[in-house]
Amino acid sequence: MPLYKAPLEDMRFVLHQLFDSNDIAALPGNEDFTPELIDSVLDEAAKFSEGVLFPLNQSGDLEGCTYENGVVRTPTGFKDAYKAFCDGGWTAMGADPAFGGQGMPIPAAMMIEEMLCSANVAFGLYPGLTHGAYVALKHAGSEEQKQTYLPNLVSGKWSGTMCLTEPHCGTDLGMLRTRAVPNDDGSYSITGNKIFISAGEHDLTENIIHLVLARLPDAPAGVKGISMFVVPKFLLREDGSVGPRNGLQCTAIEHKMGIKASATCAMSFDGATGWLVGEAHKGLRAMFTMMNTERLSVGIQGLGVAETAYQNAVAYARDRIQGRSLTGIKAEDKQADPIMVHPDVRRMLLTMRAYIEGCRALAGWVARELEILAKSDDSDAKQAADDFASLMTPIVKAMFTDLGFEIASLAVQTYGGHGYIRDHGIEQYVRDARISMLYEGTNGIQALDLVGRKLPQDGGRLLTRFLDPVLEFIEAHEGNLALAPFLPPLQQAIEHVQIATGFIMENAMSNHDEIGAASVDYLRLFGLAALAFVWARMVAIAAPKAESEDAQFYRAKVQTAKFFMERLLPQTGALLAAIQSGSATMMEFEDAAF
Amino acid sequence: MPLYKAPLEDMRFVLHQLFDSNDIAALPGNEDFTPELIDSVLDEAAKFSEGVLFPLNQSGDLEGCTYENGVVRTPTGFKDAYKAFCDGGWTAMGADPAFGGQGMPIPAAMMIEEMLCSANVAFGLYPGLTHGAYVALKHAGSEEQKQTYLPNLVSGKWSGTMCLTEPHCGTDLGMLRTRAVPNDDGSYSITGNKIFISAGEHDLTENIIHLVLARLPDAPAGVKGISMFVVPKFLLREDGSVGPRNGLQCTAIEHKMGIKASATCAMSFDGATGWLVGEAHKGLRAMFTMMNTERLSVGIQGLGVAETAYQNAVAYARDRIQGRSLTGIKAEDKQADPIMVHPDVRRMLLTMRAYIEGCRALAGWVARELEILAKSDDSDAKQAADDFASLMTPIVKAMFTDLGFEIASLAVQTYGGHGYIRDHGIEQYVRDARISMLYEGTNGIQALDLVGRKLPQDGGRLLTRFLDPVLEFIEAHEGNLALAPFLPPLQQAIEHVQIATGFIMENAMSNHDEIGAASVDYLRLFGLAALAFVWARMVAIAAPKAESEDAQFYRAKVQTAKFFMERLLPQTGALLAAIQSGSATMMEFEDAAF
């Protein structure tokens, strides 16, 4: 049976030491969110995740969702867990108090989200999509729409979805066919078929609020003719209570590689009644607000799954005895040594750890900037925060999820043959992690967003939001002996980013294919450099505290940083070389020869 | 629905052009195996794989094996397919004519094995294990045992297994507990529990011949006290016909991540009658003969699964339209361009292709040396062949299977969200590929075998069997203009291997942990260098033929080689840096801090 214990010590390190939580508490509206309060909320979230959600993770995978005549049933235990989740106020955590939310600062909310994903990523998708719908409606909805839908979405009484994908179009939404015809009463009749709708139908909530992308009769072709509609499963009565069924139904659920407890629905809208959200033909922009939130969430899924996979690999490596250490017997009292003595097992565990803790720190940074963007009254600070979060969103989404899958696979490798057996529960993490590289824009699309959109945006200003603090840090710590082994590799990685950026920008002007040829390797290169920076910052804090006897946590930080710099960061050189080879070879290859 | 077409053109290129098939035909006993005959056998194998085995691949995964009261049923269609497989003589293909085999040269046999793995890796395990049992019995069995068992194993009437793993021991067989007590009639009573026994029980054959590792009463502790026994499911009557059930049974089958159509059995031996194979206490050595064959086969599984995954990714990339090329519209007649126009999709496809064709060529080389070892009468040539195959076995097993998994995952990525859906059939390849990194010795164990055993063996002689031909090739082609872009990266990769080898050998003398710390990165570094060499050799053949109009195959070879050198080979630098960081950081990390 797998185990999970929320990594509270590391989360608190990121929230309170790596970044200054007093800054966050000082933002308007955050007065109550003292470090002490946040710590106690984290404690409660840990208890709930470990005690309620995690025990349903393996059984949810085995049982999966079932579909019968338009009705979707979630696995045994999910209804009760969801009720407890709402009762505990967890659906309201990150929402605006004006709609019944708790207004939890984003850095803490993101840590709690990580716990949910670690405990049960399939469960987490239900409230996750609801939060996405909340964000989109809050951003683009009319005052009446907000009052109608947001309180019940925040309380979890209702859930939300985003209905974008159609069988013939996912990435390329310009091709979507779902139609919206105006009715006399100001509503619209929505007709079309959507697929891959997470939480499109289930038995957890009284109502499901679909945000649907569709075309108006006068819509221009392509992405500039897409509008967003709010389409509830049950129409509402005058008093706001749930009335008759709307003209939509779930026609099937997908059988998937993993996240089997999450209902992935094919939805048919047959003249369903909906209402326009925001301006006509501007639906994609409204949806992108939601999507950016979702992309960060999906990145956190990668991190969350990785954490649980790591913890189980560690437990197995401590427990499983097999063979003797290459340098002599370590466990005299046993027939063999725990496999943790073997260097290659330690290499796998430290690889997982170095990526996970680096990603958590980087997520903490992004969350902090998002919080500044949301609550600061300093417009320069808001702009800087917006720039940084925009730059980092595709990296968090793509790199975290790529690494989540790699880490889950490393955990299986630590188990040996036992890792392949369902009963052990570890192969589930590989299957569950795989989706996060695909949905909310494939990781290839994230890389195009980074290189094709974020880098050139505003004359390259976004990039300086990352590079400036790095260069300041390096300068500030030049004489810091504790950092001496860490600055040169960081510097080199940053140089690799700079060289790669210059190469792409220069070549892309004459040939746009250079963007696509470089993008995925560039995103990883950038992401590794960002991890190197947060690792160096963590060392700057941890190294002075690492000497005392009880400072195991800080010593481990410094050693993990060292492992990251020595073993993992050298990949940037290979990535740079790959980028510099350009697009010619791949584009010259004859299509028919594949 | 997935597709598969055997890559006959590339297989023939490797068999006949990259290596000289006349050399193979000139070996004693190979007189009949002209290139023409081999080509016609490949054609037949392709037909059988594509037409009979491949259609059962997806249905076999969905249905899986079932277990009831000790009886295991394979999925619908497997019995008929197995009968057709035997009738076609495919079980006999690689076996000695003295026992009814066809004596097919190993290079061709390995290509056919690849086809089976591409078409249906779960099916392929049944005859695959039988061939392993054949190899072990032929090598270590008495004349009587050979006559008793081999003809029926070769015809496929009976199947075979290797029973090594027990719940508490896999890698560390020294701990195994299964006991063998001598009976008065020269047989032994075998008692113990084995797990993870592929094809341990099924409904395909009349009898199942288990090769079981167990301890005699006077056995020394550890791996030097293990003996091998042949233990048939049904005891044989005097006339060789199948008699009463032996005292063994399958107590369960495992529920696994993939290869669901392959029965992975827990076996209970309760005083089963068995006979000693080879010398007492020397069972591990006998089993290793079988295991080396199996390790190469498992490597070929990685390659085979990768090929099918690649073919389907290509088909999807041609068919799926989504978005427009970054350099302008390519398919004017369509609403969007096929995704193959996007550089990142091409990057994924060429990554798969470059690894697959490189691995196939490297497998062809290893197979050629194994054939020389098996049939040559030149003792120097045999020694050289044995050295080379020993050196390369862990690389073929580990690198091919790591890449098989990576490639299957890249194929899923090419499909986008559709890749995650079972109906498309592509996620199955990720699940099916994952096992090959674990069984027959985890890939970590393969790396230890390479660095800890093969490198130092015979004063480092094995390594020269690889380096000498590389250095000769580089020298011979120094003035070859067609190879000018390819030799410098090859040279650098080889230098990286040499530097890494020197580093490990020097440091391992004082600290054995350096072996384990470097091993996995070293294996990949070495493997990439070996791929670089076979790619350079392929260019030497293909480049002169690439100019003519109908030479798409040869042009693609040269371009794929270029892609490999530019995009993939630079990883050797990062691997070298990781190796050179040594074992200190990972070993110093406190166990309790994980």
Side-chain angles (χ1 to χ4, degrees):
Chain A
M1 282 293 132
L3 55 87
Y4 171 65
K5 216 166 153 34
L8 290 171
E9 190 173 13
D10 196 49
M11 289 176 164
R12 289 188 178 128
F13 173 79
V14 172
L15 287 177
H16 304 319
Q17 295 192 58
L18 180 58
F19 305 107
D20 190 343
S21 52
N22 291 312
D23 285 4
I24 295 297
L27 289 169
N30 279 356
E31 296 73 14
D32 293 343
F33 293 106
T34 60
E36 294 70 32
L37 177 70
I38 282 177
D39 279 355
S40 70
V41 177
L42 290 179
D43 283 341
E44 289 307 309
K47 267 185 222 160
F48 191 85
S49 302
E50 296 164 6
V52 178
L53 299 181
F54 187 63
L56 297 175
N57 189 49
Q58 200 176 5
S59 60
D61 177 64
L62 279 168
E63 188 180 339
C65 290
T66 54
Y67 174 87
E68 202 179 357
N69 296 326
V71 175
V72 174
R73 289 198 176 77
T74 55
T76 308
F78 271 51
K79 269 175 101 155
D80 289 345
Y82 183 75
K83 189 173 178 308
F85 190 77
C86 298
D87 291 348
W90 299 111
T91 55
M93 186 183 57
D96 189 337
F99 303 103
Q102 298 178 10
M104 176 69 61
I106 296 171
M110 207 179 261
M111 296 296 172
I112 294 169
E113 205 174 346
E114 185 203 310
M115 292 185 212
L116 302 185
C117 296
S118 288
N120 197 325
V121 72
F123 177 93
L125 282 170
Y126 296 98
L129 268 293
T130 301
H131 188 69
Y134 158 86
V135 169
L137 276 173
K138 181 162 179 281
H139 177 81
S142 67
E143 196 50 40
E144 191 197 338
Q145 286 171 338
K146 289 186 204 180
Q147 294 304 335
T148 304
Y149 298 107
L150 294 189
N152 283 336
L153 288 174
V154 168
S155 72
K157 192 175 176 188
W158 298 347
S159 68
T161 75
M162 47 200 289
C163 299
L164 287 73
T165 304
E166 299 181 4
H168 65 291
C169 73
T171 297
D172 187 358
L173 289 170
M175 293 197 284
L176 74 79
R177 292 177 192 152
T178 298
R179 289 168 293 120
V181 179
N183 300 324
D184 295 339
D185 63 356
S187 69
Y188 294 81
S189 282
I190 314 286
T191 303
N193 293 306
K194 298 284 182 179
I195 60 166
F196 297 170
I197 308 307
S198 295
E201 181 57 57
H202 57 77
D203 55 2
L204 300 179
T205 56
E206 183 193 72
N207 204 355
I208 301 174
I209 311 304
H210 302 285
L211 294 180
V212 183
L213 294 189
R215 287 185 186 286
L216 291 164
D218 61 342
V223 291
K224 289 180 177 159
I226 297 173
S227 306
M228 184 161 84
F229 299 86
V230 56
V231 189
K233 172 180 169 186
F234 290 101
L235 294 166
L236 303 180
R237 296 209 179 84
E238 283 284 318
D239 63 357
S241 67
V242 161
R245 269 298 287 251
N246 201 350
L248 63 96
Q249 62 170 335
C250 171
T251 54
I253 58 173
E254 303 289 352
H255 299 283
K256 308 186 300 294
M257 185 185 194
I259 53 164
K260 291 176 193 264
S262 164
T264 305
C265 302
M267 302 296 297
S268 170
F269 294 86
D270 305 299
T273 305
W275 290 267
L276 182 67
V277 178
E279 289 178 62
H281 316 318
K282 297 278 169 67
L284 212 57
R285 195 184 298 171
M287 195 59 96
F288 260 100
T289 324
M290 180 176 182
M291 204 124 70
N292 278 329
T293 307
E294 292 297 308
R295 285 179 173 180
L296 290 169
S297 288
V298 172
I300 300 302
Q301 288 172 25
L303 172 58
V305 171
E307 171 69 31
T308 312
Y310 167 72
Q311 289 188 18
N312 284 280
V314 168
Y316 192 81
R318 275 194 221 292
D319 185 56
R320 175 77 170 175
I321 61 167
Q322 205 78 185
R324 289 297 187 185
S325 162
L326 295 166
T327 56
I329 293 172
K330 294 290 180 294
E332 293 279 5
D333 56 327
K334 292 183 179 141
Q335 213 191 338
D337 290 329
I339 60 170
M340 193 179 263
V341 303
H342 302 307
D344 189 57
V345 171
R346 301 173 79 86
R347 179 190 63 79
M348 294 194 284
L349 296 178
L350 281 167
T351 299
M352 302 183 217
R353 185 182 181 95
Y355 282 136
I356 288 169
E357 293 187 0
C359 287
R360 186 175 294 126
L362 189 56
W365 186 8
V366 175
R368 178 187 170 82
E369 301 297 323
L370 287 172
E371 182 67 7
I372 291 168
L373 173 62
K375 296 193 184 149
S376 173
D377 44 21
D378 172 343
S379 63
D380 287 350
K382 281 167 90 91
Q383 183 64 60
D386 195 13
D387 287 352
F388 181 79
S390 298
L391 179 71
M392 284 296 170
T393 296
I395 294 171
V396 169
K397 197 283 184 181
M399 183 173 73
F400 285 26
T401 60
D402 281 348
L403 292 178
F405 181 69
E406 286 176 34
I407 288 166
S409 183
L410 276 175
V412 166
Q413 199 66 22
T414 309
Y415 277 66
H418 294 270
Y420 201 65
I421 307 300
R422 284 191 82 159
D423 292 349
H424 282 282
I426 196 77
E427 57 85 39
Q428 183 187 345
Y429 296 102
V430 176
R431 293 185 289 104
D432 282 356
R434 190 64 188 78
I435 185 60
S436 59
M437 300 155 73
L438 300 166
Y439 60 14
E440 304 302 337
T442 65
N443 286 357
I445 292 297
Q446 304 302 319
L448 277 183
D449 178 48
L450 174 66
V451 179
R453 197 171 300 155
K454 303 296 170 62
L455 284 189
Q457 193 177 317
D458 294 307
R461 191 184 67 213
L462 274 54
L463 182 60
T464 64
R465 306 297 190 182
F466 169 72
L467 288 180
D468 289 352
V470 175
L471 300 174
E472 277 165 34
F473 177 89
I474 291 173
E475 206 182 310
H477 287 277
E478 253 170 15
N480 185 341
L481 274 181
L483 275 169
F486 300 93
L487 292 188
L490 169 62
Q491 249 165 327
Q492 187 175 52
I494 295 298
E495 261 175 48
H496 288 166
V497 171
Q498 290 170 318
I499 298 168
T501 309
F503 176 87
I504 299 168
M505 291 303 122
E506 200 179 309
N507 289 284
M509 284 198 285
S510 57
N511 180 3
H512 286 347
D513 277 336
E514 291 290 336
I515 296 168
S519 53
V520 163
D521 287 330
Y522 180 85
L523 185 144
R524 180 61 72 95
L525 164 57
F526 197 137
L528 288 170
L531 293 182
F533 178 47
V534 292
W535 268 117
R537 287 176 68 166
M538 290 196 276
V539 169
I541 295 162
K545 300 183 180 175
E547 294 309 311
S548 63
E549 265 295 307
D550 60 344
Q552 189 184 73
F553 176 85
Y554 297 106
R555 282 197 303 276
K557 272 275 172 248
V558 176
Q559 285 170 318
T560 309
K562 203 151 168 262
F563 183 88
F564 178 82
M565 300 288 179
E566 289 173 353
R567 284 266 158 184
L568 306 176
L569 193 58
Q571 293 168 58
T572 61
L575 292 162
L576 177 62
I579 291 165
Q580 289 177 318
S581 72
S583 70
T585 304
M586 65 179 82
M587 299 316 291
E588 279 161 23
F589 196 88
E590 295 160 71
D591 285 10
F594 274 113
Chain B
M1 280 298 132
L3 55 86
Y4 171 65
K5 217 167 151 35
L8 289 170
E9 189 173 15
D10 197 49
M11 288 176 165
R12 287 187 180 129
F13 173 78
V14 172
L15 286 178
H16 303 319
Q17 295 192 59
L18 180 59
F19 305 107
D20 190 343
S21 51
N22 291 313
D23 285 4
I24 295 297
L27 288 169
N30 281 356
E31 295 74 13
D32 293 342
F33 293 104
T34 60
E36 294 71 31
L37 177 71
I38 282 176
D39 279 355
S40 69
V41 177
L42 290 180
D43 283 341
E44 289 306 310
K47 268 186 222 158
F48 190 85
S49 302
E50 295 164 6
V52 178
L53 299 181
F54 187 61
L56 297 175
N57 190 49
Q58 201 177 5
S59 59
D61 177 64
L62 279 169
E63 187 180 338
C65 291
T66 53
Y67 173 88
E68 204 179 357
N69 296 326
V71 175
V72 174
R73 289 197 176 77
T74 55
T76 307
F78 271 51
K79 269 176 100 154
D80 289 345
Y82 183 76
K83 189 174 178 309
F85 190 78
C86 298
D87 290 350
W90 298 110
T91 54
M93 185 183 58
D96 189 337
F99 303 104
Q102 298 178 11
M104 175 70 63
I106 295 169
M110 208 180 260
M111 296 296 174
I112 295 168
E113 204 173 348
E114 185 202 312
M115 293 185 211
L116 303 185
C117 295
S118 287
N120 198 324
V121 71
F123 178 93
L125 282 170
Y126 296 98
L129 269 292
T130 302
H131 188 69
Y134 159 86
V135 169
L137 276 172
K138 181 162 178 282
H139 177 81
S142 67
E143 198 48 43
E144 192 196 337
Q145 287 170 338
K146 291 185 203 179
Q147 294 303 336
T148 304
Y149 298 107
L150 295 189
N152 284 336
L153 288 174
V154 168
S155 72
K157 191 175 176 190
W158 298 347
S159 69
T161 76
M162 51 200 286
C163 300
L164 287 74
T165 304
E166 299 181 5
H168 65 291
C169 72
T171 299
D172 186 359
L173 289 170
M175 293 198 284
L176 75 78
R177 293 178 192 151
T178 298
R179 287 168 295 118
V181 179
N183 299 323
D184 294 340
D185 63 355
S187 70
Y188 294 81
S189 282
I190 314 286
T191 302
N193 294 306
K194 298 284 181 179
I195 60 167
F196 298 169
I197 308 308
S198 295
E201 180 58 58
H202 56 78
D203 55 2
L204 301 179
T205 56
E206 182 193 73
N207 204 355
I208 300 174
I209 311 304
H210 302 285
L211 294 180
V212 183
L213 294 188
R215 287 187 186 287
L216 290 165
D218 61 342
V223 291
K224 290 182 176 156
I226 297 173
S227 305
M228 185 160 84
F229 299 86
V230 57
V231 189
K233 173 180 168 186
F234 291 100
L235 294 166
L236 304 180
R237 296 208 180 83
E238 282 284 319
D239 63 358
S241 69
V242 161
R245 271 297 289 253
N246 201 350
L248 62 97
Q249 61 170 334
C250 171
T251 54
I253 59 172
E254 304 288 352
H255 300 282
K256 308 186 299 293
M257 184 185 195
I259 54 165
K260 290 174 194 266
S262 163
T264 305
C265 302
M267 302 296 296
S268 170
F269 294 85
D270 305 298
T273 305
W275 289 267
L276 184 67
V277 179
E279 287 179 63
H281 316 319
K282 297 278 168 67
L284 211 58
R285 197 183 298 171
M287 195 59 95
F288 260 99
T289 324
M290 179 175 183
M291 202 125 70
N292 278 329
T293 308
E294 291 297 308
R295 285 179 172 180
L296 290 169
S297 289
V298 172
I300 300 302
Q301 288 173 25
L303 171 59
V305 171
E307 171 68 31
T308 312
Y310 167 73
Q311 290 189 18
N312 284 280
V314 168
Y316 192 83
R318 276 194 220 291
D319 185 58
R320 175 77 170 174
I321 62 167
Q322 206 76 185
R324 288 297 186 185
S325 161
L326 294 166
T327 55
I329 294 173
K330 295 290 179 293
E332 294 278 4
D333 56 326
K334 292 186 178 139
Q335 212 191 340
D337 289 330
I339 61 171
M340 194 180 261
V341 304
H342 302 306
D344 189 58
V345 171
R346 301 173 80 86
R347 179 190 63 79
M348 293 195 285
L349 296 178
L350 281 166
T351 299
M352 301 182 219
R353 186 182 179 94
Y355 282 137
I356 287 168
E357 293 186 0
C359 287
R360 185 175 293 125
L362 189 56
W365 186 6
V366 174
R368 178 185 170 82
E369 300 298 324
L370 285 172
E371 182 67 6
I372 291 168
L373 173 63
K375 296 194 184 149
S376 171
D377 44 21
D378 173 342
S379 63
D380 286 349
K382 282 167 90 89
Q383 183 64 60
D386 195 12
D387 288 352
F388 181 78
S390 297
L391 179 70
M392 285 295 170
T393 296
I395 294 171
V396 170
K397 196 284 181 180
M399 185 175 71
F400 286 25
T401 60
D402 282 348
L403 293 178
F405 180 69
E406 286 175 35
I407 288 165
S409 182
L410 277 174
V412 165
Q413 198 66 23
T414 310
Y415 276 66
H418 294 270
Y420 201 65
I421 307 300
R422 283 192 82 159
D423 291 350
H424 282 282
I426 196 77
E427 57 85 39
Q428 183 187 344
Y429 296 102
V430 177
R431 292 185 289 103
D432 282 357
R434 189 64 188 78
I435 185 59
S436 60
M437 300 154 74
L438 298 166
Y439 61 15
E440 302 304 336
T442 66
N443 286 359
I445 293 297
Q446 305 301 319
L448 276 182
D449 178 47
L450 174 65
V451 179
R453 197 171 300 156
K454 302 295 170 61
L455 284 190
Q457 192 176 318
D458 294 308
R461 189 183 68 213
L462 274 55
L463 182 60
T464 64
R465 305 298 190 181
F466 170 72
L467 289 180
D468 288 353
V470 175
L471 300 174
E472 276 164 35
F473 177 88
I474 291 173
E475 206 183 310
H477 288 275
E478 252 170 16
N480 185 340
L481 274 181
L483 274 169
F486 299 93
L487 291 188
L490 168 62
Q491 249 164 328
Q492 187 176 51
I494 295 297
E495 261 175 47
H496 288 166
V497 171
Q498 290 169 317
I499 297 168
T501 309
F503 176 86
I504 299 168
M505 290 304 123
E506 200 179 309
N507 290 283
M509 284 199 282
S510 57
N511 180 4
H512 285 348
D513 277 336
E514 291 290 336
I515 296 168
S519 52
V520 163
D521 287 329
Y522 181 86
L523 185 144
R524 179 62 72 99
L525 164 57
F526 196 137
L528 288 169
L531 293 181
F533 178 47
V534 292
W535 270 117
R537 287 177 68 166
M538 290 195 276
V539 169
I541 295 162
K545 302 183 181 177
E547 295 310 310
S548 62
E549 267 293 308
D550 59 343
Q552 189 184 73
F553 176 86
Y554 297 106
R555 283 198 302 277
K557 271 276 173 248
V558 176
Q559 285 170 316
T560 309
K562 202 151 167 264
F563 183 88
F564 177 82
M565 299 287 179
E566 289 174 354
R567 284 265 159 183
L568 306 176
L569 193 59
Q571 294 169 57
T572 61
L575 292 162
L576 176 61
I579 291 165
Q580 287 177 318
S581 72
S583 70
T585 304
M586 66 179 81
M587 299 315 291
E588 278 162 23
F589 195 88
E590 294 158 70
D591 285 10
F594 273 112

